Amino acid sequence: MLKLSNISKTFQTDKIETIALSEINMQVDKGEFVSIMGPSGCGKSTLLNIMGLLDQPTEGQIEVDSNVISSYKDKDITGLRNKKIGFIFQSFHLIPDLRVIDNVELPLLYRKMSAKQRRELAQEALEKVGLKARTQHYPTQLSGGQQQRVAIARAIVGKPELLLADEPTGNLDSHMGDEIMQLLENLHQQDKATIVMVTHDEEMAKRTERTIRVFDGQLVH
Amino acid sequence: MLYNYVLTAWKVFLRRKFFTFINLFGISLTLAVLMIATSMVEGYLYPKGPEKTSANYKVIDRLTLTNEKHTSTYGGRLGFKFIKENIWRLTSPEIISLNSGASSVALYQNNQKMPKSFRRTDANYWKILDFKFIEGRAFDHGEVEQGQFVAVINQKLATELFGQSSAIGKSLDFNNQRFQIIGVTENVSEIERNATADIWTPYTTMPSTSYQQDYQGSWEVIVYHSDPSMLDEIQKEYINMLKNDLVLDHQDGMSVAYSGAFNKFENIAYQAFSDEYSYQSGTKTLATVLIVLVVVFMLLPSINMINLNVSRIMERSSEIGVRKAFGASASQLVAQFIVESILITLVGGLIGILISVFLLNLIEQSGLIAFAEFGMNLRVLFIGFVLILVFGFISGAYPALKMSRLNPVSALKGGE
């Protein structure tokens, strides 16, 4: 499903070169639920961004569905991101100007699809996260847990093969965090979703099938 | 897709009312001012009254007489003798007409003083300018030759003097002369400088003939040709005559004359930029200045709006990051923000057009410029529409480009 070979990432600021990741080799198989753990600043978010093609590695090679990513040009990767990957962020990143339903439809706007079809898929996704009744609300009218569920609906609406979640429960209290976690587990079990989740919560990590630990930009075995 | 851009834009506008208001305010005011200016220039350049034949004529109403060393100079309008000895020799115009220019005169009715404007003309004047007669007719060559005391008046004066009854055959006293009214025309806007007046009479009714001996005076000449492309030929012939074949037997030793036959646009240019010792009107300078003015006038609010847009878009950097993460390409994002920008300019533009229609109406009603009619015709609307689109595009394109280049990771972090 996803294969990283010899991935390194360095950040160049004025004088200092920071090594965020070095020589990462890993693989995520179809249908897996993987967590990435590590102290803050260890490079786990950078790793997730590279998996999601949001960031370009300094060295190394990524394969998504056996396609080697050779170009990070806008037009070459936007389509891939759109169809194959769904993102869930720690701070939700919903668009405050848009209603819940329009937020969820967003990924579908960049596909060839009728408005009616978009609406149907968005409603389906919202139903899956248990927010069918909130489609006409604006994000600020919802609780944090509800907002994250909208974000999850947005991530799954386009039926991507890979869900990437960057500390999805990080901004939520433990009760709401648990709800979100249950939702991800359901998606994994019922819909066979492949999920990679960054977390620094040991409890959450335990609930996944496999945990990858990152320390100082390197994988720890 | 476009529908969604529009929808998003609409929601953004509604959610950010203050920003939308500021933007609309700036755009509509700028466009209203530009539209009013355009409409006024339009009214001058493309008259709707008697001067609507202006594509077929040029006006000679400026003359500089001087000596070789420019130590003694007369600058002003034309004298009758200058016209007679020089302009009447021109062969390229099909019709040459002269008139005295408009001067003011006092009429008395029931011991009430009525200031009116008054113009003495020849018979050709009525052939070149397209006056609409409500009743009666203009005076002809015979009446001018014989110096008959006949007059044409405008509708407003006719109503003031005679109410609903016909003015034809009635008499009109002023300047110790008595004229018989033979025609009533529609009112003419003051913008039509060569046509406007309340009273027109044959120039041969001047109380004294001394004007015939003057090279300087208050006269103006209209030269006409049915083929507009011939007008430049007339100007060439005229300048050539002034340079090589001038008849000027001036008592003060003036031997050089500068003048020119100008159309409406050249006339503004001449007034604004040409010096008195020139045959040229300076249209290029005027066109440049006008374009620069319009550009500067549009640029200021554009820059302002670019500024607003940039900060607003930076506020929305998380949205940009999300859209990118979910597969929006840079060009789709640019399109989205340009659509937003054009949309708001469009709304602002429509408000601007409404404001300008309202203000133009107000100016017409106020009588600031007598009998003026500033219509919003298709040409003015078209110019306004183009202005709006250009404006929207300029103010949307730069911020859109800037933000579409953001890397999604940093956009999600808040856009450094």
Side-chain angles (χ1 to χ4, degrees):
Chain A
M1 170 75 230
L2 183 73
K3 191 175 173 195
L4 276 66
S5 323
N6 297 317
I7 292 289
S8 296
K9 177 73 180 176
T10 50
F11 289 107
Q12 195 82 40
T13 49
D14 289 342
K15 280 167 190 160
I16 316 155
E17 197 183 66
T18 320
I19 298 170
L21 294 173
S22 73
E23 299 285 317
I24 304 270
N25 286 291
M26 62 171 282
Q27 191 167 341
V28 177
D29 294 324
K30 205 169 177 64
E32 263 196 306
F33 190 174
V34 182
S35 55
I36 301 176
M37 278 207 71
S40 52
C42 70
K44 55 189 191 300
S45 287
T46 306
L47 181 58
L48 198 75
N49 287 337
I50 286 175
M51 286 181 182
L53 310 179
L54 291 178
D55 213 348
Q56 182 173 2
T58 318
E59 271 170 61
Q61 183 181 295
I62 305 175
E63 278 175 48
V64 179
D65 260 357
S66 320
N67 298 314
V68 177
I69 306 299
S70 53
S71 157
Y72 278 84
K73 277 199 189 123
D74 198 67
K75 64 174 166 40
D76 294 325
I77 54 167
T78 48
L80 265 180
R81 278 206 296 259
N82 181 262
K83 289 194 184 64
K84 305 236 179 228
I85 305 168
F87 295 90
I88 301 160
F89 307 99
Q90 180 177 357
S91 47
F92 325 138
H93 284 311
L94 297 175
I95 298 172
D97 299 323
L98 299 181
R99 288 173 307 171
V100 163
I101 186 87
D102 298 315
N103 263 291
V104 174
E105 276 183 27
L106 187 135
L108 306 180
L109 288 183
Y110 305 107
R111 296 186 184 179
K112 283 198 170 66
M113 198 178 272
S114 73
K116 192 171 161 240
Q117 214 175 344
R118 274 201 295 270
R119 184 90 349 164
E120 279 167 8
L121 284 175
Q123 248 143 8
E124 199 179 296
L126 279 166
E127 198 168 339
K128 220 170 247 173
V129 300
L131 281 178
K132 209 177 137 197
R134 305 289 173 137
T135 55
Q136 302 303 313
H137 286 66
Y138 284 92
T140 46
Q141 298 169 315
L142 303 179
S143 72
Q146 287 171 324
Q147 289 189 38
Q148 190 60 299
R149 282 195 274 158
V150 174
I152 291 173
R154 177 178 64 187
I156 61 172
V157 72
K159 303 194 166 49
E161 285 155 49
L162 177 64
L163 282 182
L164 297 178
D166 190 357
E167 305 209 29
T169 59
N171 277 13
L172 303 173
D173 63 33
S174 59
H175 174 69
M176 283 184 178
D178 185 56
E179 270 183 26
I180 294 300
M181 198 57 203
Q182 268 176 23
L183 190 54
L184 290 177
E185 282 169 338
N186 285 344
L187 288 173
H188 171 236
Q189 280 154 16
Q190 289 168 14
D191 299 352
K192 310 280 178 268
T194 314
I195 306 176
V196 179
M197 175 179 79
V198 164
T199 181
H200 52 234
D201 186 333
E202 197 71 49
E203 290 299 309
M204 299 290 175
K206 270 183 196 159
R207 292 166 73 169
T208 64
E209 294 173 335
R210 176 158 72 99
T211 300
I212 295 170
R213 291 176 193 276
V214 185
F215 189 77
D216 243 5
Q218 288 177 311
L219 298 191
V220 187
H221 298 285
Chain B
M1 204 66 194
L2 185 68
Y3 171 75
N4 270 289
Y5 291 161
V6 172
L7 199 74
T8 310
W10 178 244
K11 284 176 178 157
V12 169
F13 297 155
L14 285 185
R15 298 272 291 171
R16 294 159 196 261
K17 293 199 178 66
F18 185 67
F19 168 81
T20 309
F21 167 76
I22 295 277
N23 244 345
L24 285 180
F25 187 76
I27 297 163
S28 48
L29 222 61
T30 307
L31 280 166
V33 172
L34 279 175
M35 292 288 285
I36 289 172
T38 313
S39 177
M40 288 191 152
V41 170
E42 162 91 16
Y44 174 79
L45 290 180
Y46 306 96
K48 293 187 213 116
E51 291 188 13
K52 61 170 156 295
T53 54
S54 67
N56 290 91
Y57 66 78
K58 288 197 174 204
V59 173
I60 307 173
D61 63 356
R62 287 191 182 74
L63 174 66
T64 303
L65 296 177
T66 185
N67 53 19
E68 294 288 348
K69 291 181 176 165
H70 297 180
T71 50
S72 172
T73 296
Y74 161 82
R77 295 179 144 240
L78 283 62
F80 188 87
K81 196 174 184 185
F82 183 87
I83 298 169
K84 191 174 143 196
E85 292 178 351
N86 294 287
I87 295 176
W88 280 2
R89 287 189 287 126
L90 291 174
T91 55
S92 50
E94 288 175 346
I95 309 176
I96 300 176
S97 160
L98 65 83
N99 72 82
S100 65
S103 55
S104 56
V105 66
L107 254 63
Y108 291 90
Q109 189 191 22
N110 305 329
N111 289 325
Q112 290 276 313
K113 188 178 171 182
M114 298 196 297
K116 291 292 163 191
S117 100
F118 163 54
R119 194 185 286 267
R120 298 173 200 269
T121 79
D122 56 13
N124 279 344
Y125 183 80
W126 306 100
K127 289 186 191 162
I128 298 176
L129 300 175
D130 187 16
F131 280 88
K132 290 276 174 289
F133 277 81
I134 288 159
E135 55 177 343
R137 56 173 179 87
F139 38 84
D140 59 27
H141 281 293
E143 285 162 322
V144 174
E145 293 270 305
Q146 294 160 24
Q148 292 211 9
F149 286 84
V150 289
V152 173
I153 63 174
N154 70 3
Q155 190 181 11
K156 180 166 181 263
L157 180 58
T159 315
E160 279 170 357
L161 293 177
F162 311 109
Q164 294 304 310
S165 60
S166 169
I168 304 299
K170 304 265 170 56
S171 60
L172 185 67
D173 294 320
F174 62 94
N175 283 358
N176 300 318
Q177 292 180 319
R178 169 163 290 188
F179 295 87
Q180 190 190 24
I181 297 167
I182 57 165
V184 177
T185 77
E186 279 181 351
N187 300 325
V188 181
S189 165
E190 270 185 352
I191 282 194
E192 305 193 14
R193 296 169 359 116
N194 304 109
T196 186
D198 300 310
I199 306 162
W200 296 261
T201 67
Y203 74 90
T204 45
T205 58
M206 283 278 231
S208 134
T209 55
S210 63
Y211 69 90
Q212 296 182 0
Q213 306 309 314
D214 293 333
Y215 281 109
Q216 297 139 225
S218 68
W219 298 89
E220 60 191 36
V221 172
I222 305 175
V223 284
Y224 174 92
H225 202 289
S226 53
D227 176 5
S229 64
M230 286 300 293
L231 293 177
D232 286 337
E233 291 302 316
I234 297 175
Q235 162 79 342
K236 271 185 209 152
E237 189 197 350
Y238 182 44
I239 291 172
N240 194 36
M241 173 186 281
L242 294 175
K243 283 180 178 165
N244 304 319
D245 188 20
L246 180 69
V247 177
L248 186 59
D249 177 23
H250 199 283
Q251 58 209 27
D252 298 334
M254 296 191 183
S255 55
V256 183
Y258 296 96
S259 178
F262 298 135
N263 65 23
K264 300 234 159 219
F265 188 68
E266 291 163 344
N267 201 302
I268 314 181
Y270 185 88
Q271 291 190 33
F273 298 110
S274 200
D275 73 82
E276 53 186 345
Y277 305 122
S278 165
Y279 303 107
Q280 301 308 322
S281 59
T283 40
K284 274 184 190 158
T285 326
L286 177 66
T288 315
V289 167
L290 283 180
I291 289 168
V292 167
L293 274 181
V294 167
V295 166
V296 167
F297 202 73
M298 295 265 285
L299 210 60
L300 286 178
S302 289
I303 290 172
N304 197 14
M305 206 168 137
I306 286 172
N307 198 14
L308 270 170
N309 274 343
V310 167
S311 58
R312 180 186 58 126
I313 283 177
M314 285 305 134
E315 260 174 49
R316 289 167 69 186
S317 79
S318 139
E319 171 182 342
I320 292 153
V322 167
R323 286 185 187 271
K324 283 204 153 184
F326 283 104
S329 66
S331 51
Q332 283 168 322
L333 285 172
V334 169
Q336 181 194 338
F337 282 87
I338 287 182
V339 165
E340 273 187 31
S341 174
I342 286 184
L343 210 66
I344 197 167
T345 355
L346 220 57
V347 175
L350 290 179
I351 298 176
I353 287 174
L354 289 182
I355 294 178
S356 47
V357 167
F358 173 75
L359 286 180
L360 284 171
N361 251 315
L362 215 64
I363 296 174
E364 281 174 21
Q365 307 284 311
S366 72
L368 219 59
I369 304 168
F371 311 124
E373 268 181 56
F374 303 107
M376 274 287 162
N377 63 24
L378 280 178
R379 184 165 35 215
V380 176
L381 273 179
F382 177 76
I383 293 172
F385 197 72
V386 169
L387 289 178
I388 291 169
L389 286 184
V390 169
F391 196 83
F393 191 80
I394 302 176
S395 57
Y398 171 73
L401 269 179
K402 188 177 154 83
M403 64 82 229
S404 72
R405 293 210 184 100
L406 278 181
N407 158 312
V409 175
S410 57
L412 283 167
K413 278 186 200 148
E416 300 94 59

